Amino acid sequence: MSILIKPIITEKATTNSELNNCFSFQVNTKANKVEIKKAVEAAYGVSVEKVRTINVRPDRSTKFTKTGIQHGKTNAVKKAIVQLAEGETIDLYSNL
């Protein structure tokens, strides 16, 4: 079971990483804060101070087409905002 799925690189997440030393990741929906902390420390070699998690609900949509009503939804995801110790950083762009 892979805990870390991918880093979240948005304008808000980049600003948060520059100002507050907090990095955002999309993680497995069944992972808890302790597992996320261990996975980030093992993957990037940094020390983590705090982990905050967010469960994002799936968006449901209805489309009215010629063949009838089509129902759909997006996948539920879990985000983790990881705050690192003072003076440490993660270079997310080096693995591209």
Side-chain angles (χ1 to χ4, degrees):
M1 177 173 90
S2 177
I3 305 278
L4 299 175
I5 297 173
K6 63 180 179 180
I8 298 172
I9 302 174
T10 59
E11 187 174 354
K12 185 175 182 179
T14 305
T15 304
N16 202 13
S17 66
E18 291 171 355
L19 298 178
N20 302 327
N21 206 21
C22 295
F23 294 87
S24 301
F25 295 94
Q26 184 176 341
V27 296
N28 190 334
T29 55
K30 297 184 187 284
N32 60 29
K33 292 183 180 185
V34 177
E35 293 172 340
I36 295 167
K37 180 179 178 178
K38 289 180 182 176
V40 171
E41 288 176 346
Y44 295 103
V46 295
S47 60
V48 175
E49 282 186 356
K50 188 188 302 186
V51 177
R52 291 173 288 174
T53 58
I54 305 163
N55 285 309
V56 180
R57 63 174 168 73
D59 290 330
R60 299 184 185 278
S61 64
T62 304
K63 297 175 187 164
F64 299 97
T65 63
K66 287 191 284 188
T67 59
I69 299 174
Q70 302 292 321
H71 298 286
K73 71 177 186 71
T74 59
N75 292 332
V77 295
K78 188 172 194 175
K79 297 178 186 179
I81 300 172
V82 178
Q83 184 170 2
L84 301 182
E86 191 68 32
E88 296 193 358
T89 186
I90 297 174
D91 187 15
L92 297 175
Y93 302 104
S94 65
N95 295 337
L96 296 177

mmCIF file of all heavy atoms in Angstrom, residues 8-42:
data_model
loop_
_atom_site.group_PDB
_atom_site.id
_atom_site.type_symbol
_atom_site.label_atom_id
_atom_site.label_comp_id
_atom_site.label_asym_id
_atom_site.label_seq_id
_atom_site.Cartn_x
_atom_site.Cartn_y
_atom_site.Cartn_z
ATOM 1 N N ILE A 8 0.890 17.904 -4.250
ATOM 2 C CA ILE A 8 -0.067 18.855 -4.805
ATOM 3 C C ILE A 8 0.678 20.143 -5.096
ATOM 4 O O ILE A 8 1.226 20.770 -4.192
ATOM 5 C CB ILE A 8 -1.227 19.090 -3.826
ATOM 6 C CG1 ILE A 8 -1.973 17.782 -3.580
ATOM 7 C CG2 ILE A 8 -2.163 20.164 -4.357
ATOM 8 C CD1 ILE A 8 -3.010 17.865 -2.504
ATOM 9 N N ILE A 9 0.727 20.506 -6.380
ATOM 10 C CA ILE A 9 1.445 21.709 -6.796
ATOM 11 C C ILE A 9 0.424 22.676 -7.380
ATOM 12 O O ILE A 9 0.090 22.607 -8.559
ATOM 13 C CB ILE A 9 2.552 21.368 -7.808
ATOM 14 C CG1 ILE A 9 3.513 20.372 -7.194
ATOM 15 C CG2 ILE A 9 3.285 22.634 -8.235
ATOM 16 C CD1 ILE A 9 4.562 19.855 -8.125
ATOM 17 N N THR A 10 -0.100 23.533 -6.522
ATOM 18 C CA THR A 10 -1.010 24.588 -6.935
ATOM 19 C C THR A 10 -0.450 25.908 -6.434
ATOM 20 O O THR A 10 0.544 25.935 -5.704
ATOM 21 C CB THR A 10 -2.417 24.366 -6.363
ATOM 22 O OG1 THR A 10 -2.330 24.342 -4.942
ATOM 23 C CG2 THR A 10 -3.032 23.078 -6.861
ATOM 24 N N GLU A 11 -1.091 26.988 -6.803
ATOM 25 C CA GLU A 11 -0.625 28.298 -6.355
ATOM 26 C C GLU A 11 -0.733 28.422 -4.837
ATOM 27 O O GLU A 11 0.167 28.929 -4.170
ATOM 28 C CB GLU A 11 -1.439 29.389 -7.044
ATOM 29 C CG GLU A 11 -0.938 30.788 -6.777
ATOM 30 C CD GLU A 11 -1.672 31.837 -7.590
ATOM 31 O OE1 GLU A 11 -2.496 31.481 -8.441
ATOM 32 O OE2 GLU A 11 -1.408 33.024 -7.358
ATOM 33 N N LYS A 12 -1.822 27.935 -4.281
ATOM 34 C CA LYS A 12 -2.023 28.001 -2.830
ATOM 35 C C LYS A 12 -1.016 27.122 -2.093
ATOM 36 O O LYS A 12 -0.446 27.530 -1.078
ATOM 37 C CB LYS A 12 -3.455 27.568 -2.503
ATOM 38 C CG LYS A 12 -3.834 27.695 -1.060
ATOM 39 C CD LYS A 12 -5.306 27.350 -0.886
ATOM 40 C CE LYS A 12 -5.732 27.519 0.552
ATOM 41 N NZ LYS A 12 -7.170 27.202 0.733
ATOM 42 N N ALA A 13 -0.773 25.908 -2.593
ATOM 43 C CA ALA A 13 0.174 25.005 -1.946
ATOM 44 C C ALA A 13 1.608 25.520 -2.055
ATOM 45 O O ALA A 13 2.403 25.378 -1.121
ATOM 46 C CB ALA A 13 0.068 23.613 -2.559
ATOM 47 N N THR A 14 1.956 26.140 -3.182
ATOM 48 C CA THR A 14 3.298 26.689 -3.352
ATOM 49 C C THR A 14 3.530 27.865 -2.417
ATOM 50 O O THR A 14 4.596 27.980 -1.805
ATOM 51 C CB THR A 14 3.513 27.116 -4.814
ATOM 52 O OG1 THR A 14 3.235 26.009 -5.663
ATOM 53 C CG2 THR A 14 4.933 27.564 -5.048
ATOM 54 N N THR A 15 2.538 28.738 -2.278
ATOM 55 C CA THR A 15 2.653 29.861 -1.345
ATOM 56 C C THR A 15 2.789 29.363 0.086
ATOM 57 O O THR A 15 3.591 29.886 0.867
ATOM 58 C CB THR A 15 1.423 30.775 -1.471
ATOM 59 O OG1 THR A 15 1.298 31.187 -2.814
ATOM 60 C CG2 THR A 15 1.555 31.990 -0.580
ATOM 61 N N ASN A 16 2.019 28.336 0.432
ATOM 62 C CA ASN A 16 2.076 27.767 1.778
ATOM 63 C C ASN A 16 3.441 27.135 2.056
ATOM 64 O O ASN A 16 3.957 27.213 3.169
ATOM 65 C CB ASN A 16 0.963 26.728 1.949
ATOM 66 C CG ASN A 16 0.605 26.484 3.382
ATOM 67 O OD1 ASN A 16 0.980 27.224 4.275
ATOM 68 N ND2 ASN A 16 -0.149 25.435 3.609
ATOM 69 N N SER A 17 4.051 26.543 1.041
ATOM 70 C CA SER A 17 5.367 25.939 1.234
ATOM 71 C C SER A 17 6.455 26.994 1.378
ATOM 72 O O SER A 17 7.416 26.810 2.125
ATOM 73 C CB SER A 17 5.699 24.992 0.087
ATOM 74 O OG SER A 17 5.846 25.710 -1.113
ATOM 75 N N GLU A 18 6.309 28.120 0.661
ATOM 76 C CA GLU A 18 7.321 29.173 0.745
ATOM 77 C C GLU A 18 7.221 29.957 2.053
ATOM 78 O O GLU A 18 8.236 30.293 2.657
ATOM 79 C CB GLU A 18 7.172 30.124 -0.439
ATOM 80 C CG GLU A 18 7.551 29.502 -1.769
ATOM 81 C CD GLU A 18 7.194 30.387 -2.947
ATOM 82 O OE1 GLU A 18 6.565 31.436 -2.733
ATOM 83 O OE2 GLU A 18 7.543 30.008 -4.070
ATOM 84 N N LEU A 19 6.012 30.251 2.496
ATOM 85 C CA LEU A 19 5.840 31.092 3.672
ATOM 86 C C LEU A 19 5.843 30.313 4.987
ATOM 87 O O LEU A 19 6.435 30.744 5.974
ATOM 88 C CB LEU A 19 4.536 31.891 3.561
ATOM 89 C CG LEU A 19 4.438 32.868 2.387
ATOM 90 C CD1 LEU A 19 3.083 33.544 2.385
ATOM 91 C CD2 LEU A 19 5.556 33.894 2.457
ATOM 92 N N ASN A 20 5.166 29.161 5.013
ATOM 93 C CA ASN A 20 4.963 28.435 6.273
ATOM 94 C C ASN A 20 5.723 27.116 6.357
ATOM 95 O O ASN A 20 5.579 26.391 7.351
ATOM 96 C CB ASN A 20 3.471 28.159 6.477
ATOM 97 C CG ASN A 20 2.662 29.432 6.496
ATOM 98 O OD1 ASN A 20 3.125 30.472 6.950
ATOM 99 N ND2 ASN A 20 1.444 29.354 5.987
ATOM 100 N N ASN A 21 6.481 26.762 5.324
ATOM 101 C CA ASN A 21 7.225 25.504 5.286
ATOM 102 C C ASN A 21 6.285 24.300 5.400
ATOM 103 O O ASN A 21 6.593 23.321 6.056
ATOM 104 C CB ASN A 21 8.305 25.480 6.378
ATOM 105 C CG ASN A 21 9.460 24.575 6.014
ATOM 106 O OD1 ASN A 21 9.677 24.276 4.849
ATOM 107 N ND2 ASN A 21 10.193 24.143 7.003
ATOM 108 N N CYS A 22 5.096 24.399 4.778
ATOM 109 C CA CYS A 22 4.111 23.314 4.761
ATOM 110 C C CYS A 22 3.954 22.804 3.330
ATOM 111 O O CYS A 22 3.752 23.588 2.415
ATOM 112 C CB CYS A 22 2.754 23.805 5.277
ATOM 113 S SG CYS A 22 2.754 24.292 6.981
ATOM 114 N N PHE A 23 4.029 21.510 3.156
ATOM 115 C CA PHE A 23 3.927 20.899 1.842
ATOM 116 C C PHE A 23 2.684 20.018 1.790
ATOM 117 O O PHE A 23 2.337 19.366 2.766
ATOM 118 C CB PHE A 23 5.181 20.075 1.540
ATOM 119 C CG PHE A 23 6.415 20.924 1.415
ATOM 120 C CD1 PHE A 23 7.165 21.249 2.531
ATOM 121 C CD2 PHE A 23 6.803 21.415 0.189
ATOM 122 C CE1 PHE A 23 8.288 22.044 2.423
ATOM 123 C CE2 PHE A 23 7.919 22.205 0.064
ATOM 124 C CZ PHE A 23 8.671 22.527 1.188
ATOM 125 N N SER A 24 2.015 19.994 0.630
ATOM 126 C CA SER A 24 0.751 19.276 0.478
ATOM 127 C C SER A 24 0.958 18.044 -0.402
ATOM 128 O O SER A 24 1.671 18.090 -1.408
ATOM 129 C CB SER A 24 -0.295 20.183 -0.165
ATOM 130 O OG SER A 24 -0.499 21.319 0.631
ATOM 131 N N PHE A 25 0.303 16.953 -0.004
ATOM 132 C CA PHE A 25 0.383 15.700 -0.737
ATOM 133 C C PHE A 25 -1.004 15.096 -0.848
ATOM 134 O O PHE A 25 -1.825 15.246 0.054
ATOM 135 C CB PHE A 25 1.288 14.684 -0.015
ATOM 136 C CG PHE A 25 2.720 15.103 0.068
ATOM 137 C CD1 PHE A 25 3.191 15.763 1.181
ATOM 138 C CD2 PHE A 25 3.597 14.835 -0.958
ATOM 139 C CE1 PHE A 25 4.514 16.158 1.277
ATOM 140 C CE2 PHE A 25 4.928 15.224 -0.878
ATOM 141 C CZ PHE A 25 5.382 15.885 0.238
ATOM 142 N N GLN A 26 -1.244 14.398 -1.950
ATOM 143 C CA GLN A 26 -2.421 13.545 -2.038
ATOM 144 C C GLN A 26 -1.995 12.183 -1.520
ATOM 145 O O GLN A 26 -0.972 11.639 -1.951
ATOM 146 C CB GLN A 26 -2.920 13.444 -3.468
ATOM 147 C CG GLN A 26 -4.187 12.647 -3.605
ATOM 148 C CD GLN A 26 -4.702 12.637 -5.027
ATOM 149 O OE1 GLN A 26 -4.332 13.470 -5.831
ATOM 150 N NE2 GLN A 26 -5.557 11.692 -5.328
ATOM 151 N N VAL A 27 -2.759 11.646 -0.568
ATOM 152 C CA VAL A 27 -2.372 10.411 0.097
ATOM 153 C C VAL A 27 -3.485 9.379 -0.039
ATOM 154 O O VAL A 27 -4.603 9.684 -0.469
ATOM 155 C CB VAL A 27 -2.041 10.659 1.592
ATOM 156 C CG1 VAL A 27 -0.836 11.562 1.734
ATOM 157 C CG2 VAL A 27 -3.214 11.237 2.329
ATOM 158 N N ASN A 28 -3.169 8.164 0.353
ATOM 159 C CA ASN A 28 -4.143 7.082 0.357
ATOM 160 C C ASN A 28 -5.268 7.417 1.333
ATOM 161 O O ASN A 28 -5.028 7.946 2.411
ATOM 162 C CB ASN A 28 -3.437 5.788 0.767
ATOM 163 C CG ASN A 28 -4.306 4.573 0.564
ATOM 164 O OD1 ASN A 28 -5.526 4.660 0.589
ATOM 165 N ND2 ASN A 28 -3.673 3.436 0.360
ATOM 166 N N THR A 29 -6.509 7.108 0.966
ATOM 167 C CA THR A 29 -7.650 7.474 1.798
ATOM 168 C C THR A 29 -7.691 6.716 3.126
ATOM 169 O O THR A 29 -8.329 7.169 4.071
ATOM 170 C CB THR A 29 -8.972 7.225 1.048
ATOM 171 O OG1 THR A 29 -9.011 5.873 0.615
ATOM 172 C CG2 THR A 29 -9.090 8.144 -0.140
ATOM 173 N N LYS A 30 -7.004 5.592 3.222
ATOM 174 C CA LYS A 30 -7.007 4.816 4.459
ATOM 175 C C LYS A 30 -5.801 5.107 5.357
ATOM 176 O O LYS A 30 -5.682 4.538 6.441
ATOM 177 C CB LYS A 30 -7.057 3.323 4.140
ATOM 178 C CG LYS A 30 -8.327 2.928 3.413
ATOM 179 C CD LYS A 30 -8.383 1.440 3.208
ATOM 180 C CE LYS A 30 -9.542 1.049 2.339
ATOM 181 N NZ LYS A 30 -10.817 1.072 2.996
ATOM 182 N N ALA A 31 -4.912 6.003 4.935
ATOM 183 C CA ALA A 31 -3.705 6.306 5.700
ATOM 184 C C ALA A 31 -4.037 7.253 6.853
ATOM 185 O O ALA A 31 -4.867 8.149 6.727
ATOM 186 C CB ALA A 31 -2.660 6.942 4.802
ATOM 187 N N ASN A 32 -3.360 7.055 7.989
ATOM 188 C CA ASN A 32 -3.549 7.961 9.120
ATOM 189 C C ASN A 32 -2.343 8.890 9.235
ATOM 190 O O ASN A 32 -1.389 8.796 8.476
ATOM 191 C CB ASN A 32 -3.809 7.188 10.420
ATOM 192 C CG ASN A 32 -2.682 6.257 10.785
ATOM 193 O OD1 ASN A 32 -1.534 6.502 10.452
ATOM 194 N ND2 ASN A 32 -3.012 5.176 11.476
ATOM 195 N N LYS A 33 -2.381 9.796 10.224
ATOM 196 C CA LYS A 33 -1.349 10.822 10.336
ATOM 197 C C LYS A 33 0.021 10.239 10.657
ATOM 198 O O LYS A 33 1.041 10.725 10.166
ATOM 199 C CB LYS A 33 -1.746 11.841 11.410
ATOM 200 C CG LYS A 33 -2.936 12.668 11.027
ATOM 201 C CD LYS A 33 -3.239 13.697 12.088
ATOM 202 C CE LYS A 33 -4.448 14.526 11.697
ATOM 203 N NZ LYS A 33 -4.708 15.623 12.638
ATOM 204 N N VAL A 34 0.067 9.190 11.461
ATOM 205 C CA VAL A 34 1.344 8.581 11.832
ATOM 206 C C VAL A 34 1.991 7.927 10.616
ATOM 207 O O VAL A 34 3.200 8.075 10.378
ATOM 208 C CB VAL A 34 1.139 7.554 12.966
ATOM 209 C CG1 VAL A 34 2.430 6.847 13.312
ATOM 210 C CG2 VAL A 34 0.556 8.236 14.197
ATOM 211 N N GLU A 35 1.197 7.236 9.808
ATOM 212 C CA GLU A 35 1.722 6.600 8.597
ATOM 213 C C GLU A 35 2.195 7.647 7.587
ATOM 214 O O GLU A 35 3.229 7.456 6.942
ATOM 215 C CB GLU A 35 0.649 5.724 7.958
ATOM 216 C CG GLU A 35 0.266 4.517 8.780
ATOM 217 C CD GLU A 35 -0.930 3.772 8.229
ATOM 218 O OE1 GLU A 35 -1.700 4.366 7.440
ATOM 219 O OE2 GLU A 35 -1.091 2.584 8.587
ATOM 220 N N ILE A 36 1.460 8.748 7.460
ATOM 221 C CA ILE A 36 1.850 9.814 6.537
ATOM 222 C C ILE A 36 3.167 10.438 6.977
ATOM 223 O O ILE A 36 4.061 10.693 6.174
ATOM 224 C CB ILE A 36 0.737 10.874 6.431
ATOM 225 C CG1 ILE A 36 -0.511 10.266 5.792
ATOM 226 C CG2 ILE A 36 1.201 12.081 5.642
ATOM 227 C CD1 ILE A 36 -1.747 11.109 5.910
ATOM 228 N N LYS A 37 3.317 10.674 8.274
ATOM 229 C CA LYS A 37 4.554 11.255 8.810
ATOM 230 C C LYS A 37 5.750 10.354 8.522
ATOM 231 O O LYS A 37 6.785 10.817 8.044
ATOM 232 C CB LYS A 37 4.410 11.481 10.318
ATOM 233 C CG LYS A 37 5.635 12.079 10.962
ATOM 234 C CD LYS A 37 5.417 12.309 12.440
ATOM 235 C CE LYS A 37 6.676 12.867 13.084
ATOM 236 N NZ LYS A 37 6.503 13.155 14.507
ATOM 237 N N LYS A 38 5.613 9.060 8.761
ATOM 238 C CA LYS A 38 6.709 8.116 8.509
ATOM 239 C C LYS A 38 7.036 8.028 7.021
ATOM 240 O O LYS A 38 8.210 7.930 6.641
ATOM 241 C CB LYS A 38 6.348 6.739 9.051
ATOM 242 C CG LYS A 38 6.345 6.666 10.562
ATOM 243 C CD LYS A 38 5.975 5.284 11.055
ATOM 244 C CE LYS A 38 5.919 5.242 12.564
ATOM 245 N NZ LYS A 38 5.457 3.934 13.067
ATOM 246 N N ALA A 39 6.010 8.088 6.164
ATOM 247 C CA ALA A 39 6.241 7.985 4.723
ATOM 248 C C ALA A 39 6.974 9.207 4.183
ATOM 249 O O ALA A 39 7.878 9.079 3.349
ATOM 250 C CB ALA A 39 4.910 7.804 3.993
ATOM 251 N N VAL A 40 6.608 10.406 4.651
ATOM 252 C CA VAL A 40 7.286 11.620 4.185
ATOM 253 C C VAL A 40 8.724 11.649 4.685
ATOM 254 O O VAL A 40 9.646 12.002 3.941
ATOM 255 C CB VAL A 40 6.509 12.877 4.645
ATOM 256 C CG1 VAL A 40 7.305 14.136 4.373
ATOM 257 C CG2 VAL A 40 5.171 12.955 3.951
ATOM 258 N N GLU A 41 8.938 11.267 5.938
ATOM 259 C CA GLU A 41 10.304 11.247 6.476
ATOM 260 C C GLU A 41 11.173 10.239 5.746
ATOM 261 O O GLU A 41 12.351 10.490 5.491
ATOM 262 C CB GLU A 41 10.263 10.947 7.979
ATOM 263 C CG GLU A 41 9.737 12.102 8.806
ATOM 264 C CD GLU A 41 9.609 11.789 10.274
ATOM 265 O OE1 GLU A 41 9.666 10.592 10.656
ATOM 266 O OE2 GLU A 41 9.448 12.730 11.065
ATOM 267 N N ALA A 42 10.610 9.084 5.372
ATOM 268 C CA ALA A 42 11.386 8.072 4.662
ATOM 269 C C ALA A 42 11.647 8.478 3.210
ATOM 270 O O ALA A 42 12.736 8.247 2.678
ATOM 271 C CB ALA A 42 10.655 6.730 4.706
#
